[in-house]
Every structure is written in structure tokens, then in C-alpha cells.
Amino acid sequence: AQSVSQHNHHVILSEAASLELGCNYSYGGTVNLFWYVQYPGQHLQLLLKYFSGDPLVKGIKGFEAEFIKSKFSFNLRKPSVQWSDTAEYFCAVNASSSASKIIFGSGTRLSIRP
Amino acid sequence: GAVVSQHPSWVICKSGTSVKIECRSLDFQATTMFWYRQFPKQSLMLMATSNEGSKATYEQGVEKDKFLINHASLTLSTLTVTSAHPEDSSFYICSARRGDGDYGYTFGSGTRLTVV
């Protein structure tokens, strides 16, 4: 069974700082990888996803993530964060088969100091 | 874009009563829908996977007789919390997977259930 680990539970940064949130998954087969964001009081939104091809994936709002297969990692990055990036970030994985369930990591709360 | 509507957004019910939560895909056909539960400041825990026209597949530890799931059409899945207790109070979120090939998943806005 697949699992996802997010080691940073709460990250606090100042505006304009660079961001990297860690995500590691455990699964022996081919996977699809996702990063979702949940702004305060709002529902989950997809930031970016990786299915195949270029391991460096660019998403919305300046976010990107790099799939490193040898490390089973899919870290999320942003070169310069803004106060509006304050939110909960979830890494997720599913096995590459149709109708497969998505398993979420425990989430990382990102707080940006203005 | 794909939109999933979840209703109600919040509900308060008395212990022992049942509550039904609806999840609708508004502009696409969802071959598969997922139900999650999210406790405060925690991640989403998958409860069950439902496929249109067949029985739902429940995750380990989830009581299928307590959390009834019906996926009657390609645009509607319902979750009924039967004989609700205060410990069932939580945030319930549905997700719908489009039937096309890009494995797109869209999430509903969630339902806050409070059992008193």
C-alpha cells in the first residue's frame, strides 16, 4: 500500500523567503503525485500534479515540484513566498491505475510573516 | 473547469439521528467518487471509494453500516451517517474523479458535521 510522509508540520517564513516543503512517498510501482493547498476556510485546490514526463512540474501561483524517483520524493518549492501563501499544503499520491484512490500526507502548515 | 458541489456545507444534528451529505459533479461525469474525513488540523483520511452502480469499497476501520454510501448516478454520490454520535463530528469531504484519462480529481468544499 502506498503512503506519504510530510516531515515539516509547521513552517514559518518571512515574505520573499524561498520555500521548500518535503514530501516522500512509499510505493513500489508507478505513481501519480500531487500537491494540494487548503487556504483558511476554503476547500482543497490542486497546485500541481505529476503523471509522467519532465520531472520538474510547474503549477499555479509560482509553485513547482520536482519528482526524484531514486529518492521517492516530490518536494514543493517556491522561490519567493507571499503572505497570501499562508495555508495548509498536502502532498498526495496514487498508484498509476484507473480509479485508484489518493492517499494524503499529514500536511504542512505554512505561515508567512508580513 | 470541473466543479464538485457538496451539500450541506454545515449541519448540526442530535445524537442518534442520521444525516445525509450529497456530492455532485456539476459539469462532468464522475465514474469514481471518494469520501474523506478531516479532523481539525489533520490530514484527509480516506473513508471509502464509490463507483457508480456498485458497492462502495471501505477503508480498514471504517464501519460500512454506519457510513452508508450510495453512488446512484454518474453525477451523484451520497454519504449517510447513521445513528450519529458526537465522535462522528468532523469535516467530511468528497472528491470526484473524471472519467477521462488524465486522472483528474476535484474536491468538494466539505461538510462540517456537528453532533450534539
Side-chain angles (χ1 to χ4, degrees):
Chain A
Q2 59 263 40
S3 65
V4 183
S5 296
Q6 290 180 249
H7 306 295
N8 311 109
H9 298 294
H10 188 192
V11 173
I12 304 173
L13 295 173
S14 298
E15 277 195 311
S18 64
L19 168 73
E20 180 160 2
L21 301 182
C23 172
N24 288 89
Y25 69 93
S26 172
Y27 183 70
T30 306
V31 295
N32 300 316
L33 296 156
F34 309 82
W35 274 98
Y36 286 89
V37 60
Q38 188 174 32
Y39 296 104
Q42 297 188 28
H43 63 278
L44 281 172
Q45 299 175 42
L46 180 66
L47 271 180
L48 47 81
K49 60 186 177 184
Y50 171 81
F51 289 158
S52 63
D54 189 344
L56 185 61
V57 180
K58 294 192 182 298
I60 61 172
K61 305 187 180 187
F63 286 92
E64 66 177 32
E66 184 175 11
F67 171 49
I68 303 179
K69 189 175 181 180
S70 60
K71 294 185 178 181
F72 296 88
S73 69
F74 190 57
N75 292 355
L76 180 71
R77 299 195 293 251
K78 185 170 183 177
S80 177
V81 295
Q82 300 172 309
W83 179 80
S84 57
D85 292 325
T86 296
E88 190 88 18
Y89 291 81
F90 295 97
C91 182
V93 63
N94 82 330
S96 293
S97 60
S98 61
S100 181
K101 57 193 178 185
I102 290 184
I103 302 301
F104 285 83
S106 55
T108 297
R109 181 152 57 104
L110 176 63
S111 299
I112 305 298
R113 292 190 291 252
Chain B
V3 178
V4 171
S5 173
Q6 194 170 334
H7 179 80
S9 55
W10 61 271
V11 58
I12 301 173
C13 70
K14 291 184 178 181
S15 287
T17 62
S18 296
V19 174
K20 180 185 285 188
I21 302 170
E22 292 187 349
C23 180
R24 294 181 185 272
S25 55
L26 297 186
D27 50 2
F28 66 98
Q29 292 185 328
T31 54
T32 306
M33 288 187 174
F34 305 87
W35 287 95
Y36 293 85
R37 184 173 179 176
Q38 186 179 29
F39 290 102
K41 300 185 179 182
Q42 294 188 31
S43 186
L44 284 74
M45 301 301 296
L46 180 65
M47 298 174 66
T49 303
S50 75
N51 293 294
E52 185 265 338
S54 63
K55 290 183 178 181
T57 301
Y58 290 82
E59 294 298 301
Q60 193 172 9
V62 178
E63 299 176 61
K64 61 181 180 181
D65 294 331
K66 180 167 188 62
F67 299 99
L68 301 179
I69 292 171
N70 187 316
H71 194 157
S73 74
L74 285 172
T75 59
L76 173 65
S77 176
T78 61
L79 168 68
T80 301
V81 183
T82 63
S83 186
H85 291 284
E87 57 264 29
D88 298 325
S89 298
S90 188
F91 195 57
Y92 293 87
I93 303 172
C94 73
S95 172
R97 178 185 173 274
R98 294 190 295 276
D100 57 20
D102 78 343
Y103 304 107
Y105 297 81
T106 304
F107 287 82
S109 54
T111 298
R112 170 80 56 198
L113 169 64
T114 301
V115 184
V116 297

